[in-house]
Amino acid sequence: MKDTLFIGKITATATHEIKNVLAIIRESGGLMQDFLNMVPDGVFQHKDRFLKILSNIEEQVVRGDDISTQLNRFGHAPDTDVSSENTVEMIDQMIELTKRIAKARQMTFRNASGKNHVLLRCDPLKVRKLIFQGMQFLMAYGTPGNDIAVRSSTRDGKKVVIEFDPGTQKITSVEINKLITSEEWKDLELTAESLNSRAGMDHESGVLCLEFTNLNTI
């Protein structure tokens, strides 16, 4: 068994159990809310405070469930060496799983692909790694406060592209020339090359683009 497959199976199994734990917490919290709502106003002076606490617990359970769902799907990524993957869903996964890192850099990433369903036949783990490397590169060299739009789309009916758009807070051409000689950029390019793909940065817009050219789109 490959190491990645082993790690993936354990991760997927553990996150499934975590989701079960969260479901029990949610049901118990909901039951407590129902009981409190049955208490007439004025009888229990801390009723509103308890309802607010239970509401906060519900919010955190939902947040935890979302993270667990994306981590579970990520854990299943190594199941096959090559498969047809929805790149829009992969972007969702990596954004959710790296929120803590982005927050530390005072940046946000959002999936701006809309309801597109962009399928790519690929190595599912390497593509996720490449998406993460793109995000990591922008977190290392971008401007704090950046709201980066990530989009996946097709070109010419044969290519799949994933773009990272910094919006109004662009990286200047002079900065880009320096960045594309960095070790982080070279590492990103190596991952892209291993997928028969390429990475590039537009000197005018500052958009980072990952283009998958030799992989079959379906």
Side-chain angles (χ1 to χ4, degrees):
M1 177 184 286
K2 294 182 179 178
D3 290 346
T4 52
L5 185 59
F6 162 67
I7 293 171
K9 284 189 176 296
I10 295 300
T11 301
T13 300
T15 51
H16 183 76
E17 289 303 307
I18 291 171
K19 287 174 70 67
N20 287 337
V21 170
L22 291 171
I24 293 171
I25 294 173
R26 172 183 283 176
E27 290 174 5
S28 299
L31 186 59
M32 291 176 68
Q33 283 182 318
D34 291 341
F35 284 149
L36 282 171
N37 285 324
M38 292 169 63
V39 177
D41 292 338
V43 174
F44 178 41
Q45 61 177 341
H46 300 301
K47 175 182 176 180
D48 289 341
R49 181 178 294 182
F50 271 71
L51 285 172
K52 184 176 181 180
I53 291 171
L54 288 169
S55 177
N56 290 336
I57 291 173
E58 170 68 15
E59 289 178 6
Q60 292 305 309
V61 166
V62 171
R63 177 169 172 261
D65 188 64
D66 288 342
I67 295 171
S68 297
T69 296
Q70 297 298 355
L71 185 57
N72 183 271
R73 291 172 180 170
F74 180 80
H76 281 294
D79 286 355
T80 55
D81 292 332
V82 178
S83 64
S84 296
E85 295 276 331
N86 184 352
T87 54
V88 177
E89 290 182 356
M90 284 195 280
I91 291 170
D92 276 336
Q93 286 176 30
M94 300 319 300
I95 289 176
E96 183 64 46
L97 296 175
T98 57
K99 275 185 178 178
R100 184 180 181 85
I101 304 173
K103 185 177 181 180
R105 295 292 301 170
Q106 300 177 39
M107 292 185 182
T108 56
F109 290 85
R110 55 187 172 84
N111 195 340
S113 304
K115 297 183 179 180
N116 294 340
H117 195 72
V118 184
L119 293 178
L120 178 68
R121 186 166 176 78
C122 61
D123 180 322
L125 196 59
K126 279 189 177 181
V127 172
R128 285 171 171 82
K129 177 184 176 182
L130 186 57
I131 294 171
F132 171 71
Q133 285 180 289
M135 296 172 68
Q136 193 173 43
F137 178 78
L138 292 174
M139 284 188 277
Y141 296 106
T143 305
N146 262 14
D147 176 35
I148 299 169
V150 188
R151 293 185 296 269
S152 180
S153 59
T154 58
R155 287 182 183 170
D156 306 324
K158 296 180 179 179
K159 301 176 182 178
V160 170
V161 296
I162 297 175
E163 297 176 305
F164 302 79
D165 188 348
T168 57
Q169 295 177 300
K170 297 178 175 62
I171 303 173
T172 66
S173 294
V174 174
E175 291 173 325
I176 291 174
N177 286 327
K178 292 180 180 179
L179 298 182
I180 58 178
T181 61
S182 67
E183 289 301 318
E184 290 88 348
W185 181 261
K186 292 177 181 177
D187 190 34
L188 189 153
E189 283 188 314
L190 284 174
T191 302
E193 288 173 7
S194 72
L195 287 162
N196 295 320
S197 306
R198 73 178 188 89
M201 286 195 77
D202 187 278
H203 283 229
E204 293 185 4
S205 65
V207 172
L208 166 61
C209 180
L210 307 175
E211 185 178 273
F212 303 89
T213 54
N214 295 327
L215 299 179
N216 295 324
T217 60
I218 61 172

